[in-house]
């Protein structure tokens, strides 16, 4: 596993569980608003030995309940499944964060019962995906749509989430996202964060009142809608 960081305690990343977060490096998208450029762009991140992470987790048995695996894009890692199995053998639940561009891997992990929770990014409406993700690859976006359907039918707790800024989505885009995710239980609107380590140029965040209007619109399609980061 190409691991670049670990947050040793989080109360937020894994709903309902005291957890840590493991950061993998590398991503096949180039979303300009991404605030983890060091994890996305080649040659910018550190490397942490997998055994070091497993040793830390062993010491936290009975204290932590779960491990969130995020990135970058974790599904790029060829040994992701093997790593998850090692972590589960220590008694930890697994949450996977993904951009949804590897539906076969996602499906396999779900079918093998290796995931307890999945958070999948929905960048924008389908039509604007290449623009917002910074990648002109039609196959990638077909895969994203496949992953949405896989999660919808998986029976595994999951959420969809969208990081928002004026340059990324409009009210019309949110309505299209809502129709895309119609019938789902959990959706989060996330405020754009200008961290200083962006992949692209800085964006313009929406005001709280505007995000509230987007959330109200999404509630016509999704059962539970919340806003993060305000």
């Amino acid at each position: 596993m190409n691991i670049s960081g670990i947050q040793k305690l989080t109360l937020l990343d894994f709903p309902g569980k005291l957890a840590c977060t493991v950061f993998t490096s590398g991503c096949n998208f180039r979303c300009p608003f991404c605030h983890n450029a060091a994890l996305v762009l080649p040659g910018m991140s550190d490397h942490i030995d997998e055994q070091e992470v497993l040793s830390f987790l062993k010491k936290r048995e009975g204290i932590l309940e779960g491990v969130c695996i995020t990135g970058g894009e974790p599904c790029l890692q060829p040994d992701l499944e093997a790593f998850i199995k090692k972590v589960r053998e220590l008694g930890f639940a697994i949450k996977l964060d993904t951009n949804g561009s590897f539906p076969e891997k996602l499906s396999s992990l779900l079918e093998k019962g290796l995931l307890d929770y999945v958070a999948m990014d929905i960048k924008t409406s389908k039509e604007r995906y290449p623009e917002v993700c910074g990648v002109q690859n039609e196959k990638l976006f077909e895969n994203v749509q496949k992953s949405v359907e896989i999660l919808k039918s998986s029976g595994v707790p999951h959420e969809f989430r969208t990081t928002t800024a004026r340059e990324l989505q409009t009210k019309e885009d949110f309505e299209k996202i809502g129709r895309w995710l119609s019938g789902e239980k959990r959706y989060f609107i996330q405020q754009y964060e200008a961290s200083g380590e962006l992949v692209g140029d800085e964006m313009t965040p929406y005001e709280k009142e505007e995000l509230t209007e987007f959330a109200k619109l999404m509630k016509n399609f999704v059962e539970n809608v919340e806003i993060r980061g305000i």
Side-chain angles (χ1 to χ4, degrees):
M1 281 281 286
N2 197 351
I3 298 171
S4 294
I6 180 169
Q7 182 180 350
K8 294 184 176 180
L9 178 64
T10 175
L11 303 176
L12 301 175
D13 288 349
F14 198 146
K17 295 194 181 296
L18 192 66
C20 75
T21 301
V22 174
F23 296 88
T24 65
S25 61
C27 187
N28 54 336
F29 283 1
R30 290 294 182 268
C31 306
F33 58 90
C34 179
H35 63 273
N36 284 327
L39 297 175
V40 172
L41 302 177
M44 292 185 62
S45 60
D46 298 325
H47 177 73
I48 298 176
D49 187 75
E50 178 183 303
Q51 192 55 50
E52 180 180 338
V53 176
L54 294 173
S55 296
F56 163 77
L57 291 174
K58 190 165 182 60
K59 293 175 184 177
R60 294 300 187 273
E61 287 183 78
I63 301 173
L64 297 179
E65 301 168 288
V67 175
C68 174
I69 304 175
T70 189
E73 173 49 53
C75 289
L76 277 173
Q77 306 296 324
D79 48 356
L80 176 63
E81 180 177 325
F83 178 72
I84 288 175
K85 287 179 177 177
K86 292 173 187 176
V87 175
R88 290 185 70 89
E89 286 172 2
L90 295 174
F92 296 100
I94 299 291
K95 174 185 177 245
L96 177 69
D97 291 349
T98 182
N99 62 25
S101 60
F102 294 90
E104 291 81 9
K105 183 170 286 190
L106 176 62
S107 179
S108 176
L109 293 172
L110 289 166
E111 289 174 359
K112 294 175 181 178
L114 296 177
L115 302 178
D116 301 283
Y117 195 95
V118 179
M120 179 177 159
D121 295 324
I122 299 294
K123 307 296 185 180
T124 187
S125 59
K126 296 178 186 179
E127 296 87 346
R128 295 187 63 197
Y129 245 81
E131 169 195 351
V132 171
C133 294
V135 179
Q136 299 292 328
N137 186 327
E138 185 176 338
K139 178 65 174 178
L140 284 181
F141 310 116
E142 291 176 0
N143 285 344
V144 168
Q145 295 180 66
K146 289 179 182 178
S147 290
V148 169
E149 297 308 312
I150 287 168
L151 281 179
K152 281 184 173 184
S153 62
S154 70
V156 172
H158 59 273
E159 68 183 54
F160 295 101
R161 59 195 189 179
T162 300
T163 299
T164 186
R166 293 188 187 280
E167 294 84 356
L168 305 176
Q169 306 93 11
T170 63
K171 181 178 179 180
E172 290 71 25
D173 288 316
F174 275 104
E175 183 166 3
K176 291 176 180 179
I177 292 170
R179 295 186 186 283
W180 186 8
L181 302 181
S182 183
E184 278 299 291
K185 293 184 177 181
R186 301 179 191 87
Y187 177 76
F188 293 88
I189 294 174
Q190 300 182 155
Q191 178 67 291
Y192 156 77
E193 178 183 346
S195 68
E197 294 186 359
L198 300 175
V199 170
D201 296 329
E202 288 199 9
M203 301 281 170
T204 310
Y206 277 108
E207 298 295 330
K208 178 180 179 180
E209 294 75 17
E210 294 171 300
L211 295 181
T212 301
E213 283 299 311
F214 295 150
K216 182 178 179 181
L217 173 62
M218 289 297 299
K219 287 179 181 178
N220 293 322
F221 305 99
V222 179
E223 186 176 333
N224 297 298
V225 180
E226 296 182 30
I227 302 172
R228 290 174 174 153
I230 61 171

